Amino acid sequence: YSSGSIDHFHVSDNAVQSGNIRSGTLGINHVSDGFRATQAEAEAILNSGFLTPQFATYHPGVAKAWVRFNGTGTIAIDSSYNVNSLVDNNTGDYSVIWSVAFSNGTYSVTLSSSTTENDITGISGNSIRFQTRNSVGANVDPGVVCVHAFGDRA
């Protein structure tokens, strides 16, 4: 089908799943591995529609980067996605450098650690800098640090 819209369709695969994927109009591009939504459509779709994994990264509800690392001694990444490197700036003072930058410094970041307080001290499209503190406000190196970032990548 090369033009127009598909008002309602049903995809069935006996081995995997049967069910309605989406009612309405969906522009699709034919590619060698099947059909996929355009980037604009992927960003607009909320809980319905068909998204291939390569386009799910454009959805606003998907983390664009995350890391879990050990903040004591020589810091080390336990696991990560879209993280190029870590910098140990000082006691309880870290920077995370993204592999693929965000389009600007207005993305959302969630910090968690085994300390009482976590504060963002600098943010740009390429990196984030933050500090971890104990209950009396002194910088400390926590055993576990987690950073999650959501936003539009460059």
Side-chain angles (χ1 to χ4, degrees), residues 62-76:
V62 175
K64 304 308 185 296
W66 56 266
V67 64
R68 179 185 193 273
F69 68 94
N70 179 344
T72 60
T74 301
I75 60 174

Side-chain angles (χ1 to χ4, degrees), residues 65-70 75-86 96 98 144-148:
W66 56 266
V67 64
R68 179 185 193 273
F69 68 94
N70 179 344
I75 60 174
I77 294 175
D78 295 325
S79 58
S80 68
Y81 171 73
N82 192 32
V83 172
N84 184 52
S85 61
L86 301 174
V96 178
W98 311 123
V144 176
V145 181
C146 297
V147 181
H148 306 93

